[in-house]
Amino acid sequence: MNGPLAMDDPPCPQPEPDLTLWGVVTAVQANYYWVSLDRPEGEPRPCAALLCIRRARLKKTGQRVMVGDRVQVADPDWEGQRGAIAAVDPRQTVLDRPPMANADQMLLVFAMAEPDLDPHQLSRFLVKAESTGLEVLLCLNKQDLVTDQTRRIWQHRLRQWGYDPLLISLRQEGSWADLQSRLQHRITVISGPSGVGKSSLINCLVPEAELRTSAVSGKLGRGRHTTRHVELFALPQGGLLADTPGFNQPDLTLTPADLGRCFPEIRRRLAQDSCQFKDCLHRDEPGCAVGIDWDRYDLYTTMVTEAEALQNSQPSRRSGQSAMKHKVGEGGEVHQEPLLQAKKYRRVSRRRQRQALEDFHYTTLDTAIDLDHLDDDSHEQRR
Ligand code: GDP
Ligand code: ZN
């Protein structure tokens, strides 16, 4: 115990508490969190990541910890590669499905061929991506399979939609350098239909991902895509990439009014002019500022009709109730953020928790960690 220091006492050497240990949660399972630690220059840490529990105080206040959270880690046990999360930074953004904090952008990957680039499917993914309120980055892979002319036509068309796609081929070394620089120092969520080259891309961008995927498939006879959990991969140049298998089927549950905000063409026109009616759905209403002379107009109206049908089939959902909240930025631009449903902290049974942890341990790290010492409460009691 520390008593008050008498004036004459020599100063007692106390270990300085390390208040500088911060990192990002890269994976969550039950009540355990992998935290990838910040790497301050010139000060290498004994390990790059720690398997952490939450401090009791965070549990009591119901503070949830999500993948992507910036957290402060206390009491590092470098040898056992463990620690405890002591504080969580306020979140910049929150995604509901997959549950993830602080994502900066959504990377939508499609192929130019094999499978064919279908404008309707692409639009549905784009709208879903826009509905998160994150910046959307569009990447078209397999450019080696199409002619220059096809590339130009798509580029031109997508620019009209409001996107500037990055055309790459994983068969052409170096063609994804621009993409790499767009991912640097940012948290990016990757999405897109299957077969377009997402896994191949992740393996190119994150060398360790391949090892991990093959290790998992080897041991458990199943690959990364069977896991329901989001996991962040550290990019060698800085930045984090989230692979989200759960995001691959865009189930659009937007209201008709939300839909308009997910089309850059509509946003662009409304930034210049406003419609006569406040609740205009931009389907050729009188005094509509958007008009009908744009490529995706038919697709847009089809989606509005679908959204109306969905709304009418769900009477409990009040009309006009939005799945998103809108924030006005400094320059007057409107950002969308998904409205979140608060989920209460649920206590997981010990047995399930342990089982989950064993799976987790299996799938995320090959380093031997003694699971017997990872019990939440015993860790707390040792303090
Ligand atoms: P995912 O389902 O989106 O993860 O797609 P995969 O990464 O499994 O890739 C699907 C197939 O496309 C594989 O056979 C890859 O080898 C192939 N592929 C990936 N990128 C390219 C590319 O740039 N050009 C060509 N021709 N094939 C590619
Ligand atoms: Zn209108």
Side-chain angles (χ1 to χ4, degrees), residues 62-77:
Q63 170 73 61
R64 194 178 170 206
V65 179
M66 306 167 83
V67 166
D69 267 330
R70 266 199 77 69
V71 295
Q72 189 181 29
V73 175
D75 310 316
D77 163 7

Side-chain angles (χ1 to χ4, degrees), residues 266 270 274-291 300:
I266 296 181
L270 290 182
S274 42
C275 303
Q276 185 180 339
F277 300 106
K278 248 190 139 178
D279 56 355
C280 183
L281 287 176
H282 324 302
R283 289 184 293 188
D284 208 11
E285 288 92 335
C288 176
V290 176
Y300 164 73

Side-chain angles (χ1 to χ4, degrees), residues 56-357:
R57 192 179 55 80
L58 290 186
K59 268 192 252 174
K60 278 192 199 109
T61 57
Q63 170 73 61
R64 194 178 170 206
V65 179
M66 306 167 83
V67 166
D69 267 330
R70 266 199 77 69
V71 295
Q72 189 181 29
V73 175
D75 310 316
D77 163 7
W78 297 113
E79 231 165 76
Q81 214 182 338
R82 276 174 279 148
I85 294 175
V88 183
D89 250 9
R91 296 173 181 133
Q92 303 302 310
T93 61
V94 181
L95 285 180
D96 200 15
R97 268 184 301 167
M100 200 184 137
N102 299 325
D104 295 302
Q105 61 185 353
M106 180 77 68
L107 170 65
L108 195 53
V109 183
F110 266 73
M112 302 213 70
E114 296 180 22
D116 280 349
L117 186 47
D118 168 23
H120 285 220
Q121 188 194 31
L122 174 57
S123 279
R124 284 177 192 274
F125 271 84
L126 281 169
V127 168
K128 176 80 180 178
E130 293 279 353
S131 78
T132 64
L134 299 179
E135 246 176 73
V136 179
L137 184 56
L138 178 60
C139 173
L140 300 180
N141 185 29
K142 308 199 191 186
Q143 66 163 348
D144 56 297
L145 297 177
V146 298
T147 61
D148 270 352
Q149 196 195 7
T150 305
R151 280 200 286 272
R152 274 198 300 274
I153 290 171
W154 270 112
Q155 241 161 350
H156 177 72
R157 187 169 185 193
L158 292 170
R159 282 193 189 127
Q160 286 185 328
W161 294 9
Y163 300 96
D164 197 7
L166 293 165
L167 271 49
I168 66 163
S169 163
L170 297 176
R171 301 274 156 88
Q172 296 167 343
E173 192 77 37
S175 68
W176 58 92
D178 278 354
L179 174 61
Q180 264 174 320
S181 68
R182 298 281 292 269
L183 303 181
Q184 215 172 354
H185 306 307
R186 313 199 77 195
I187 300 185
T188 305
V189 182
I190 189 167
S191 166
S194 61
V196 299
K198 291 185 306 300
S199 319
S200 316
L201 177 64
I202 293 172
N203 290 337
C204 285
L205 297 171
V206 191
E208 83 187 59
E210 187 158 30
L211 297 174
R212 201 174 282 180
T213 309
S214 52
V216 172
S217 336
K219 273 182 189 163
L220 302 180
R222 55 189 163 95
R224 176 165 44 80
H225 287 286
T226 55
T227 168
R228 285 177 296 114
H229 305 282
V230 197
E231 188 177 353
L232 287 175
F233 295 107
L235 297 163
Q237 301 86 348
L240 294 160
L241 190 62
D243 182 20
T244 59
F247 200 77
N248 290 345
Q249 281 82 40
D251 53 334
L252 289 175
T253 50
L254 298 170
T255 66
D258 287 333
L259 267 171
R261 290 182 272 262
C262 295
F263 284 79
E265 304 96 313
I266 296 181
R267 291 203 301 261
R268 199 160 47 194
R269 290 182 188 207
L270 290 182
Q272 288 160 1
D273 202 357
S274 42
C275 303
Q276 185 180 339
F277 300 106
K278 248 190 139 178
D279 56 355
C280 183
L281 287 176
H282 324 302
R283 289 184 293 188
D284 208 11
E285 288 92 335
C288 176
V290 176
I292 63 169
D293 58 333
W294 48 292
D295 188 23
R296 295 200 291 171
Y297 175 74
D298 286 343
L299 177 85
Y300 164 73
T301 55
T302 305
M303 287 174 84
V304 173
T305 308
E306 283 170 12
E308 282 174 330
L310 189 75
Q311 202 169 43
N312 294 336
S313 70
Q314 293 176 332
S316 60
R317 196 165 169 194
R318 276 179 289 121
S319 69
Q321 184 184 346
S322 171
M324 295 186 284
K325 63 182 173 213
H326 301 277
K327 281 195 162 181
V328 181
E330 280 173 10
E333 73 282 9
V334 179
H335 298 292
Q336 298 148 52
E337 283 180 15
L339 263 186
L340 300 173
Q341 286 174 343
K343 286 190 193 102
K344 282 225 169 118
Y345 167 66
R346 224 169 356 121
R347 178 127 191 122
V348 185
S349 84
R350 265 300 144 71
R351 197 158 155 253
R352 275 191 52 194
Q353 193 173 315
R354 200 183 158 80
Q355 181 57 51
L357 180 63

